[in-house]
Amino acid sequence: MKEARREGIRYGLRHIAFNPAEPMSDEALASFAARLCDELQADRERMTLVVHQKDGSTHGHLLLPEWQDDHVLSSRFSWQRLEKCARLEEIRLGHPLVPGRHDRAIVKALRQEGKTAEAGRVEAVLQGPAGDTANLAAPAPASPDTPSSLTKAHPASRPLPRAAYTSQSRRMAERQGLDLVEAKKAIASLWARSDNQLHRFRALLKAKGWVMRAGDRQDTRKDAHIIETSDGVLIGSFTRLTKTRMKDFRLLLVEEAARPKRGDIRAAVKPLLERAALATAAMESHAEQSGLLLPPLEALRRDPEAFARAAARVRPSHSSPKKPKIVSLDRIDELPPNFAHYIQQWKQEVRACRTVLNAKPPLAYGPRRSVDEQSAALFAQIADTRRQLWQAGKQLQETRRERDALRKRVFVLSKTKRLSHLDEEIERLSKTLAEILRYLLETVLWHLGLRSTPPEPLCLPVPTEREEANTRLRRENRELLQQIVRRDTCREWLVTLCREADRRRQEEIAAWKERHVAKCDRARRDLDLLKAIWMPPAKLPRATQAEIMKCKLTGNLEKAKYVTRIALRRLDEAEAERLAKEMESEKAAPVVELQGSSPVRVSPAFEP
C-alpha cells in the first residue's frame, strides 16, 4: 500500500479468488496461482496465496501487489484472460469445462497463441453437446443462473451465462443471515403470481417482509429499483431478479402512477397536521401586525367602544394573485427539457472551473512526516543491511589479520597454498562488502526520491564483471562507509538526505504552482463569466439580459456565453473611454496662480 501511494496508484492489491468444482491439492492450486502471475505479468516471489476450506470445499485467494517494482500489474481484458487460464487448467487437470460468457474470445486467443487443440476443446463447449461431450460435465439440475443443457442451434443464439449477483454480494448476505439463491427463487415465483402488476407484486413482497424501493444511484441509473429486506439487507435489482427489460419496467411504473390510489390517507394528512400549528401561529402574527386580530368576543360585548375601535382597524382583504410554482434547480427532471439541459451544462462548467481553482500539487497530498520521523524510519529499515555490512567488515578484518600472521611464519611448509586461499577469501569478502554498500546506498536514495530507478537486488557472491566497479565504489566512498557503520553518524547522514529530499519536494511544488497560474487565471475568468450568465449584472442592457434569458429557455449555453462576453467587453471599453476623457479634462483644466499660495487647478465646470 505504501508503494501504491508513492507511485500514485489508486489500488494497492489485487484479489483473485478461485473455487474449483473438483478437488485439487495445495500444490496444484499453487501452480495455478503461479500461472495466473505469469498471465498478469506479476512476480511469483511477491504473491500471497491463502488456501483454506469452507463448507467442505477447498479454494484459494491470490493477492498480488499492483506495483511490480518497475511496472503496474496488467489489467487489460483481465476477466477474459482469467477465464482463459481457468479453461486451460480444466483441460490440464481433466476437469469438466465450464461454459462462460467469453468462450469465443478465448478460442480466438488460444489459436493466436498456437494452442489449437485446447481451442478445439473450448469450441466444442460453444457448439453444444453434439460437438464433443468428452470433457463436459454430467447433466446437472436446472438452475436459474446457468442453463441445464445447451441447444444445438448456432452458438451466437445460445444464451450466455448470467449471474444475478456477484460473489461478494452473496458472501455479504450470508453473513447477515440471508440466502440469496432461495430469495431469488422466491422473488421469481412472486413476480409470476403478480401477473406482471407492480401493486400486486409490492403487496406480495410486503406479506413476506420485503420491500421494493427506488435505488440510491438515481444520478447514473434513473428509475432503477431494488428489493431488500425489512432490516435493509440488499437482495438485488428488480429488473435483474425478474429478468425484466428496463424499457418495460418504466412502462409498468407509468401504469402504476396512473392507477388511482386507495387506502390509508394518514401518510398524507400527517404532514398537514404538523404544519397546521405553524400556519396558525404565522396567521395570528400577521393579523396582529396588520391590525386584523380582534379581541375575544366576551371582551367586545362588555366594552362596545373596543368593538367599534376594532371594527375601524379592519381593512378589506384583497384576493392575492396566483403565485407561480417554484421548482428547485436540483430537480432537473421537473424542469423543461431545454432549460434542464442548459442548467446541467452550466453546472458542469462551473464544477470544472472550481476543480482547477481548488487543485493542489500532487506532492502536497497525503500525510507528510517530519525529517526526524523519516530518518528514524529509514534507519530502522536499513538496520538489517547495516548489520550485514558490519559482519562482512569484521570477517574481512579477521581474514586480513590471519593472512598477515601467516606471512610472518615463513617456516610453514604449506605457506603458498594457505596464503593463496586467504587471498581468495579476502577478495571474495571485499566484493561482498562493496556489493552490500552499493545496495544500501541505492535503497536509501530510491526511497527518498533522489534516484529514479529502484535498486538492483543483492547479488551474492559478486560476479567477476562487477569487480572493478565495486573496487572503485569502495575506494571513492571510504568516508561514507565509515559514516554508515557508526550509529550516530549514520543518523546525521540520513537526516541530511531527508532534508535534501524535502527541499526538492518544495521546489517541485513551487514549480507546479507557477505552471498552474495561467490555468487558474483562465478558470477564474470562465467562472466569473458563468456567474454573470447565471445572474446578469444590472449594468448590462435590457436587450442583452433578454437575449440571455432566451438562451436559457432554449438551452443554448454557448450563445449565452458569447452574448455576455461581448456585452461585458463593450462595457469595459466604454468605461475605459470615460476614464480617458476624465483624465484628459483634468490635464486640460487651467491653473490659476494665487499670490502667496501654491497654484490651484480650476475645473471647467466651475468657470464663470
Side-chain angles (χ1 to χ4, degrees):
M1 299 303 295
K2 291 182 179 178
E3 291 176 351
R5 283 193 293 268
R6 184 192 66 213
E7 300 296 334
I9 305 174
R10 182 177 180 182
Y11 301 104
L13 294 171
R14 186 176 300 185
H15 173 215
I16 303 172
F18 43 91
N19 187 8
E22 299 293 333
M24 291 177 61
S25 61
D26 293 350
E27 292 77 9
L29 291 174
S31 61
F32 177 58
R35 279 187 281 274
L36 289 180
C37 293
D38 297 339
E39 179 67 28
L40 299 178
Q41 300 176 7
D43 186 6
R44 293 187 178 187
E45 300 297 330
R46 300 192 63 190
M47 76 173 181
T48 302
L49 177 62
V50 180
V51 179
H52 68 106
Q53 288 189 352
K54 185 176 182 181
D55 298 333
S57 64
T58 303
H59 61 280
H61 298 268
L62 178 62
L63 286 177
L64 297 174
E66 285 288 341
W67 179 250
Q68 296 286 326
D69 290 337
D70 56 352
H71 66 280
V72 181
L73 201 64
S74 176
S75 60
R76 182 177 177 84
F77 301 108
S78 59
W79 189 264
Q80 291 86 337
R81 292 160 64 189
L82 292 176
E83 278 198 8
K84 182 189 70 174
C85 293
R87 298 294 88 78
L88 290 176
E89 191 70 16
E90 290 165 358
I91 294 174
R92 186 179 295 107
L93 299 177
H95 292 181
L97 296 183
V98 180
R101 293 186 62 86
H102 310 289
D103 286 343
R104 284 185 289 274
I106 292 173
V107 171
K108 182 178 179 181
L110 290 176
R111 285 178 175 168
Q112 290 178 354
E113 295 175 2
K115 301 177 181 179
T116 55
E118 291 82 353
R121 300 280 289 276
V122 177
E123 191 174 13
V125 180
L126 280 171
Q127 296 176 355
D132 184 10
T133 59
N135 290 322
L136 297 180
S143 169
D145 293 334
T146 305
S148 58
S149 61
L150 303 176
T151 61
K152 297 182 181 180
H154 192 269
S157 62
R158 180 172 60 88
L160 297 175
R162 181 187 181 193
Y165 39 78
T166 61
S167 59
Q168 182 179 5
S169 302
R170 182 172 182 176
R171 296 291 178 261
M172 292 172 60
E174 287 178 355
R175 287 193 292 270
Q176 295 174 348
L178 177 65
D179 190 355
L180 282 180
V181 177
E182 297 298 330
K184 181 188 175 184
K185 294 179 181 178
I187 289 173
S189 63
L190 293 179
W191 179 245
R193 289 168 51 190
S194 66
D195 196 15
N196 294 350
Q197 296 187 12
L198 284 181
H199 66 280
R200 293 184 182 179
F201 181 66
R202 292 180 191 273
L204 294 174
L205 287 177
K206 185 177 180 180
K208 198 170 180 59
W210 297 341
V211 65
M212 184 177 73
R213 65 174 181 85
D216 299 326
R217 299 172 59 185
Q218 290 294 325
D219 53 343
T220 56
R221 301 188 62 186
K222 187 179 179 181
D223 295 335
H225 280 56
I226 59 175
I227 301 176
E228 60 184 11
T229 63
S230 58
D231 299 333
V233 179
L234 177 65
I235 300 176
S237 171
F238 169 81
T239 54
R240 184 176 289 272
L241 292 173
T242 59
K243 293 181 174 58
T244 305
R245 295 188 306 173
M246 197 65 191
K247 179 180 179 181
D248 300 336
F249 177 63
R250 290 194 178 99
L251 296 177
L252 293 175
L253 287 176
V254 173
E255 294 177 0
E256 185 187 26
R259 185 174 176 273
K261 303 295 182 181
R262 295 180 182 178
D264 193 3
I265 63 172
R266 287 177 293 180
V269 174
K270 184 177 180 181
L272 297 177
L273 294 177
E274 292 177 353
R275 293 197 299 267
L278 298 176
T280 304
M283 291 172 61
E284 292 179 356
S285 175
H286 176 69
E288 184 177 359
Q289 294 176 1
S290 60
L292 298 177
L293 184 63
L294 298 178
L297 184 59
E298 292 78 5
L300 293 177
R301 288 178 179 177
R302 290 193 301 268
D303 190 0
E305 296 181 359
F307 181 80
R309 289 194 301 269
R313 289 199 310 265
V314 174
R315 295 191 298 268
S317 60
H318 300 281
S319 59
S320 60
K322 185 178 180 181
K323 297 181 179 180
K325 181 181 179 181
I326 299 177
V327 180
S328 175
L329 296 179
D330 294 333
R331 298 298 304 271
I332 301 295
D333 52 344
E334 297 183 5
L335 298 173
N338 294 334
F339 187 54
H341 177 70
Y342 178 90
I343 295 298
Q344 189 174 6
Q345 278 190 331
W346 186 89
K347 287 185 176 181
Q348 289 179 356
E349 294 195 10
V350 170
R351 194 180 300 114
C353 294
R354 288 178 177 170
T355 301
V356 174
L357 293 176
N358 297 332
K360 295 182 180 179
L363 296 178
Y365 289 95
R368 293 295 304 174
R369 295 182 296 180
S370 62
V371 174
D372 296 335
E373 292 176 351
Q374 294 183 30
S375 59
L378 280 174
F379 188 79
Q381 188 174 0
I382 65 175
D384 295 338
T385 311
R386 288 181 65 255
R387 192 179 301 109
Q388 295 179 7
L389 181 65
W390 184 80
Q391 292 176 357
K394 185 178 180 181
Q395 292 179 3
L396 178 61
Q397 292 178 1
E398 292 178 355
T399 309
R400 282 178 176 173
R401 285 197 298 268
E402 187 176 355
R403 183 194 62 180
D404 296 340
L406 258 176
R407 280 179 175 174
K408 295 178 181 179
R409 297 171 58 185
V410 295
F411 54 86
V412 178
L413 297 179
S414 60
K415 181 183 68 172
T416 305
K417 181 178 180 181
R418 182 63 176 168
L419 287 176
S420 61
H421 173 71
L422 291 177
D423 289 335
E424 293 177 359
E425 186 69 11
I426 288 175
E427 184 179 2
R428 183 185 64 81
L429 291 174
S430 300
K431 293 179 182 179
T432 303
L433 185 64
E435 178 66 11
I436 295 175
L437 177 60
R438 177 200 61 80
Y439 177 74
L440 182 61
L441 291 175
E442 292 180 356
T443 301
V444 172
L445 296 176
W446 183 62
H447 276 287
L448 291 176
L450 304 178
R451 177 185 171 89
S452 59
T453 58
E456 297 182 2
L458 283 172
C459 185
L460 299 176
V462 183
T464 307
E465 57 268 15
R466 297 190 181 183
E467 179 178 0
E468 295 182 359
N470 292 334
T471 304
R472 184 172 59 255
L473 182 65
R474 186 174 65 253
R475 183 174 60 254
E476 294 175 355
N477 298 278
R478 184 179 301 276
E479 297 181 359
L480 186 59
L481 174 62
Q482 298 296 330
Q483 292 181 358
I484 294 178
V485 171
R486 298 176 183 175
R487 190 179 185 86
D488 51 350
T489 56
C490 181
R491 286 186 181 276
E492 294 178 359
W493 176 66
L494 290 177
V495 168
T496 304
L497 290 179
C498 291
R499 288 175 179 170
E500 177 66 17
D502 191 69
R503 184 186 63 80
R504 290 194 179 185
R505 173 178 169 273
Q506 296 297 333
E507 291 179 355
E508 292 181 5
I509 291 176
W512 183 91
K513 290 182 178 179
E514 291 180 0
R515 294 193 303 268
H516 199 65
V517 167
K519 189 182 296 184
C520 286
D521 294 340
R522 184 168 58 253
R524 192 175 293 107
R525 290 194 299 269
D526 294 343
L527 186 60
D528 293 340
L529 178 62
L530 292 171
K531 289 181 179 179
I533 294 174
W534 184 258
M535 294 187 65
K539 61 183 180 180
L540 289 179
R542 294 286 183 179
T544 304
Q545 296 184 10
E547 187 68 20
I548 294 174
M549 180 58 66
K550 183 179 178 181
C551 294
K552 286 184 179 180
L553 298 178
T554 56
N556 195 345
L557 180 61
E558 294 298 328
K559 185 176 179 181
K561 291 167 60 177
Y562 174 76
V563 170
T564 308
R565 189 182 295 110
I566 294 299
L568 292 176
R569 188 179 300 169
R570 290 177 179 175
L571 289 175
D572 293 340
E573 292 176 356
E575 184 70 17
E577 291 178 0
R578 186 182 64 82
L579 292 176
K581 290 181 180 179
E582 289 183 358
M583 293 176 64
E584 291 177 359
S585 61
E586 290 179 359
K587 290 180 180 179
V591 179
V592 180
E593 294 288 344
L594 298 179
Q595 295 181 359
S597 63
S598 60
V600 178
R601 185 178 299 274
V602 181
S603 175
F606 296 96
E607 291 181 356

